[in-house]
Amino acid sequence: MKLSGWGRYPTSDSELLAPADDRAMQACLQAHSNHCIARGAGRSYGDAALSETVVSSRHLDHFIDFDKRRGRIHCAAGLSLDELLRVTMAEDFILPVLPGTRFVSVGGAIAADIHGKNHHQDGCFSAHVESFRLLLANGEIRHCSREENPELFAASCGGMGLTGIILDASLNLHKVPGVLIHNRTLQTDCLEDCIDKLRANADSKYAVAWLDCLARGKQLGRSVLYLGDHAGQHNRKSRYRHESGKLMSVPFSTPGFLLNSLTMRSFNKLYYSLQSRRQNEQLLPYQRYFFPLDRIQNWNRLYGRRGFQQYQLVLPEASALTGIRSILETVSAAGKGSFLAVLKQFGEANDNPLSFPMAGFTLTLDFKMEAGLNALLEQLDAIVLEHGGRLYLAKDARMAEAMFKAGYPRWQEFMQLRRQVDPENKFSSLLSRRLGLDSAQAVEQ
């Protein structure tokens, strides 16, 4: 069948398997000699979960244990964060790190080592993973934690499914006073002002900025900051309700010509202007703060049948301002900006070889697939490399091998372990082949 990631580009003809349990998952690996890769909810954007054979974890979606005294939950890897939060938030426990959508699987969150709006305080998802069970290429199941198989634990967190299939995981939770987020909204006039305000408000638990990526001149990088903290006393009057969050749906792929520089520039200008008329402080249900796009089902169809690419980069602290300014100038000049231009501050990098964040700032941009896009992205690649940055594997669909290896200097360390646990590349994806992460391709440099 035809499969793709959330960006709907690229697509692959794949055999999709959906084992019912752990034993069936082991049997799948023994019965199929083709390359395979695990797939959770299909929310990685590019080709990380595409291969000849795709093994879905959708039936591994059950709870195993919820220890409310210790704030720990044990669940199968196919469980979505949405279903997990339905249970934990009713007891005032939240996952310490949440991405921009709650419709990702627990296994996928570990494999991509996702980050949220609070990386500057709480790090990546893996920082709050106590342990998981990993199905290896030879059918063996290993328990992985910081104490048991620690190298395999680190390589799997951010390893994009190339070390094995995560079967279940134990996660540490944070106790919160309730379901409401106290949100403060700030406007900034330019990129430098935005970065200064993000730094000045690092004591906020959550921080994210929407950027007008098509603004020019003195207004380049003007933005709206959303600073969030868990509301305290107000939550005592708030009763828990798990919102569906799906208020509308995009029923079909919209014509690609509707998204052009004129419509995007008009939207960005209107959105920035509207924020000045809204309240600077609000109490929001946590779902509205963390997952605004989840309120629109199938929003990826807005980019047309050809799909889109999400381009997420991180630049180190010292070069972030000049590098991001250069990125925005290039994008604005090309007229290929996006509605979704997001800037966040990262804290220190962790010890996982392929984990994305580093101390600095990350910028995310969406681009519809169209003529001239690859040439633009190659220009952006050169700027990212020049300023010591890298791209996020979970969003990538076209990065060159040389750029990957320059941005992830510990790739050889990852490959050394990968050769030990999967010497025949049982777990292989379009992404791993493109980036030279299959053992037969990897050449020591």
Side-chain angles (χ1 to χ4, degrees):
M1 65 179 297
K2 284 279 188 185
L3 286 179
S4 70
W6 186 246
R8 306 175 78 192
Y9 171 86
T11 60
S12 79
D13 290 308
S14 304
E15 179 183 13
L16 180 64
L17 307 175
D21 52 31
D22 296 358
R23 290 187 178 181
M25 191 75 78
Q26 288 177 298
C28 272
L29 289 187
Q30 295 174 352
H32 289 76
S33 58
N34 286 345
H35 293 311
C36 69
I37 197 69
R39 182 182 177 96
R43 286 299 185 112
S44 60
Y45 281 68
D47 53 7
L50 300 179
S51 192
E52 291 88 347
T53 302
V54 174
V55 184
S56 171
S57 64
R58 66 174 184 245
H59 294 310
L60 305 182
D61 60 353
H62 55 282
F63 290 90
I64 300 170
D65 181 58
F66 185 8
D67 186 339
K68 300 172 188 176
R69 182 181 63 84
R70 302 177 67 184
R72 180 179 303 157
I73 198 156
H74 185 195
C75 62
L79 190 75
S80 72
L81 302 193
D82 179 53
E83 292 298 326
L84 194 153
L85 289 166
R86 285 178 187 268
V87 171
T88 64
M89 286 301 289
E91 302 293 337
D92 292 336
F93 282 102
I94 197 169
L95 285 166
V97 172
L98 293 170
T101 174
R102 64 188 188 275
F103 300 120
V104 302
S105 69
V106 168
I110 296 171
D113 203 9
I114 61 173
H115 52 271
K117 299 174 177 66
N118 56 331
H119 188 276
H120 60 290
Q121 290 195 8
D122 296 312
C124 289
F125 195 84
S126 61
H128 311 280
V129 175
E130 185 171 280
S131 64
F132 53 80
R133 288 192 309 141
L134 188 70
L135 175 60
L136 300 184
N138 63 4
E140 177 188 352
I141 296 177
R142 289 195 193 175
H143 186 270
C144 300
S145 68
R146 291 172 181 80
E147 293 74 35
E148 187 176 359
N149 296 307
E151 292 183 351
L152 192 53
F153 178 90
S156 300
C157 294
M160 304 309 296
L162 298 176
T163 58
I165 299 176
I166 297 169
L167 300 175
D168 56 62
S170 291
L171 311 174
N172 293 315
L173 306 171
H174 280 180
K175 189 74 172 177
V176 292
V179 301
L180 297 179
I181 299 293
H182 177 232
N183 173 64
R184 291 188 296 132
T185 302
L186 305 176
Q187 279 189 297
T188 73
D189 299 325
C190 62
L191 178 63
E192 186 171 7
D193 187 24
C194 176
I195 288 179
D196 286 345
K197 281 187 168 62
L198 281 171
R199 287 171 174 152
N201 289 278
D203 57 337
S204 293
K205 182 76 167 176
Y206 308 104
V208 62
W210 169 88
L211 267 64
D212 180 353
C213 65
L214 289 176
R216 298 183 179 184
K218 294 181 179 180
Q219 293 183 325
L220 180 78
R222 65 179 180 176
S223 64
V224 182
L225 269 64
Y226 301 98
L227 306 172
D229 290 282
H230 292 281
Q233 68 274 17
H234 305 285
N235 270 291
R236 295 171 188 162
K237 299 178 182 179
S238 176
R239 302 179 63 183
Y240 173 74
R241 181 169 63 91
H242 188 90
E243 297 180 345
S244 68
K246 301 173 182 177
L247 303 184
M248 63 173 293
S249 177
V250 180
F252 52 82
S253 297
T254 59
F257 67 81
L258 292 179
L259 293 184
N260 55 57
S261 60
L262 178 60
T263 59
M264 284 188 284
R265 199 177 299 277
S266 298
F267 171 85
N268 287 356
K269 184 177 180 179
L270 177 63
Y271 185 87
Y272 183 81
S273 176
L274 285 175
Q275 300 313 303
S276 63
R277 305 175 192 175
R278 295 186 174 181
Q279 293 179 336
N280 290 333
E281 297 193 31
Q282 293 175 295
L283 289 177
L284 299 175
Y286 79 97
Q287 289 165 314
R288 284 186 60 191
Y289 181 81
F290 289 112
F291 316 120
L293 281 176
D294 284 350
R295 298 164 68 86
I296 307 173
Q297 286 183 283
N298 303 312
W299 63 262
N300 55 345
R301 293 175 178 172
L302 292 170
Y303 289 88
R305 292 186 179 278
R306 295 179 64 186
F308 71 102
Q309 292 194 51
Q310 188 165 100
Y311 190 89
Q312 184 168 3
L313 61 101
V314 59
L315 297 182
E317 183 79 31
S319 62
L321 178 59
T322 56
I324 293 173
R325 180 186 289 121
S326 182
I327 291 282
L328 293 177
E329 288 172 344
T330 303
V331 170
S332 182
K336 296 184 182 296
S338 69
F339 300 118
L340 302 175
V342 176
L343 184 69
K344 293 181 289 191
Q345 185 174 16
F346 278 162
E348 294 296 326
N350 61 30
D351 197 40
N352 305 331
L354 297 189
S355 192
F356 169 64
M358 65 172 72
F361 288 84
T362 179
L363 176 67
T364 304
L365 301 164
D366 283 353
F367 300 99
K368 73 171 183 177
M369 292 299 301
E370 61 180 332
L373 176 59
N374 283 335
L376 171 63
L377 297 183
E378 287 176 2
Q379 291 181 59
L380 303 188
D381 290 347
I383 297 170
V384 172
L385 282 179
E386 178 186 355
H387 290 85
R390 58 185 174 223
L391 304 183
Y392 190 18
L393 300 184
K395 306 291 181 68
D396 176 56
R398 34 69 60 196
M399 175 172 32
E401 179 179 343
M403 180 170 184
F404 161 71
K405 291 180 176 178
Y408 289 84
R410 297 177 63 191
W411 71 270
Q412 292 184 10
E413 178 184 336
F414 176 84
M415 282 305 305
Q416 184 176 359
L417 185 138
R418 178 154 154 70
R419 292 189 190 100
Q420 294 173 12
V421 297
D422 187 12
E424 298 180 356
N425 299 315
K426 182 75 172 182
F427 299 112
S428 175
S429 63
L430 300 190
L431 177 141
S432 70
R433 282 165 242 170
R434 176 166 53 83
L435 300 184
L437 283 173
D438 282 0
S439 296
Q441 296 173 288
V443 177
E444 297 292 339
Q445 295 180 353

